[in-house]
Amino acid sequence: MFVIPLNWSRSYSLQGQYKSTLVCPQCKKVSVTFDPFMYLSLPLPSTTSRTMTVTVISTDGTFQPSPFTITVPKSGKLEDLIQALSVACSLGADETLLVAEIYNHRIIRYLEELSDSLSLIRDDDTLVAYRLNKDIEKAPLVVFMHQQMEEQYMLGKLTSSWKTFGIPLVARLSNVETGSDIHGLYLKLLNSFQTQAEDVLEDHDTSESTAVEDISLKEHDASSPISNGIEKPPDANGVSALSEAELQLYITDDKGIVKESQILMAEAIPAAGMSRRLHVLVPWPEKYVKQYDTQLLGSLPQIFKSCFFAKRPQESVSLYKCLQAFLMEEPLGPEDMWYCPRCKEHRQASKKLDLWRLPEIVVIHLKRFSYNRFLKNKLETYVDFPIDNLDLSNYIGSRNGELSNRYMLYAVSNHYGSMGGGHYTAFVHHGGGQWYEFDDSHVFPISLEKIKTSAAYLLFYRRVVE
């Protein structure tokens, strides 16, 4: 639907002019061109940013995994995500973040290239960020994966098998030489997942068989790391007193499938493991499963959890914010690089648009339809647009003589529906403060307070004669 102004017999100009400024990031060469426009196609600021939830995990067992929801540029890079996440989790000056994607209880990729586009991260991905010490940044990485015994019926028979669970835990192999060091490092990482002693006591009090076991432990070995079925506090190094001898660790592949060899307490770590990422598989003894919060260890939120049946809160933005987002300086994309005549090479220049001349009739298109590789979406953002006084004086780059830069709204084209189908209506000002709604063959008066809706798609303004 296209709405033409009333009294079209007057000589209206529909064409304005942009000033486009490009700056080379290397030699600072400036290129200025002027281009015509028939309408302004404005982004909704909500579409220029993106919220992402990432779980931050310590690599020394000092705190539990914590999800942080951050806002990043929708067309941003991994560097933007790490910067926002560093602020959100109060990252220390001596710390760095290692971002990884988790799928099926294992790390399937590390996100380490700061220039990578955030569009490579989907809303249903699950990301973690491991806090690592910068001082030992060059030390090899050890990745621990966990298994527990699960029972299931197959062909009417109860069978048991090892199943991987939880989030892989990561640390640096600094001052780690033997299998005993690896055991101690793993138990230290588990500190933040320990359940409260009261909970464990309650479990033992309600179990007669466990009570008998407690008495036996008392009589047999008072120095055991497990006394009365309750784990002792961590030692001076922050390592849990959970018995190292009862935890068997195995060198494995990056998928945690193959048990290559057992890591023995008194033996040195294989040299191959010290020169690359060392993957370690840890089958959990059954009696230790209750001593740790396995639900916390295995809970990861998605980057963005959408709900198709729940209505999102109404977003609101002013038309001026949309215009500012449109005129904001930004770097060109890698696919749109500019050939610098001074460098004689294609450069990812910065681009800045300015309004140079304005037409008599300004048509504004609100970009409600969003497209990417994975999703097509219509944005229902409520745009608060001026009706009587759209003042563009602060956005015009040249002086138009005696011409006014103030505009009055005279028509709105609305779109109702979704990407798959929809319906158009129009609101038109007839003079004297009277507005009419046009809906197919039906025309009826409408009050001024009903003009602004989240369905507004095209806005038509005419210059105010002063």
Side-chain angles (χ1 to χ4, degrees), residues 258-275:
V258 180
K259 290 182 180 178
E260 295 180 1
S261 61
Q262 185 175 351
I263 299 176
L264 301 178
M265 301 286 286
E267 293 187 4
I269 301 171
M274 297 298 290
S275 61

Side-chain angles (χ1 to χ4, degrees), residues 23-29 343 347:
V23 180
C24 177
Q26 298 295 323
C27 69
K28 306 304 178 183
K29 166 71 175 175
C343 296
R347 300 293 190 188

Side-chain angles (χ1 to χ4, degrees), residues 96-120:
T96 185
L97 293 175
L98 174 64
V99 183
E101 181 182 350
I102 307 297
Y103 178 75
N104 200 22
H105 311 295
R106 65 182 179 88
I107 297 174
I108 61 171
R109 64 168 170 154
Y110 295 90
L111 286 73
E112 299 179 281
E113 185 56 57
L114 296 180
S115 61
D116 279 352
S117 172
L118 293 180
S119 63
L120 299 174

Side-chain angles (χ1 to χ4, degrees), residues 439-459:
D439 185 355
D440 289 339
S441 60
H442 304 284
V443 180
F444 42 87
I446 186 173
S447 59
L448 186 63
E449 59 269 17
K450 293 183 178 181
I451 298 300
K452 299 181 184 182
T453 72
S454 59
Y457 185 46
L458 296 173
L459 305 176

Side-chain angles (χ1 to χ4, degrees), residues 327-397:
L327 298 176
M328 183 173 57
E329 182 177 354
E330 60 182 1
L332 296 175
E335 66 281 356
D336 297 319
M337 292 206 297
W338 169 67
Y339 183 80
C340 176
R342 182 179 295 169
C343 296
K344 307 297 183 183
E345 290 185 28
H346 284 88
R347 300 293 190 188
Q348 197 169 352
S350 63
K351 182 178 181 179
K352 175 72 171 69
L353 283 179
D354 292 293
L355 298 179
W356 193 249
R357 286 189 174 84
L358 294 173
E360 293 294 314
I361 300 297
V362 172
V363 180
I364 296 177
H365 162 233
L366 301 177
K367 297 174 71 172
R368 292 199 176 275
F369 299 103
S370 173
Y371 305 86
N372 61 39
R373 292 167 51 197
F374 309 105
L375 186 65
K376 296 179 180 180
N377 185 37
K378 182 192 173 186
L379 301 166
E380 302 289 348
T381 304
Y382 174 85
V383 178
D384 186 9
F385 49 87
I387 294 179
D388 296 323
N389 185 20
L390 173 64
D391 190 353
L392 299 178
S393 301
N394 294 332
Y395 306 97
I396 188 71

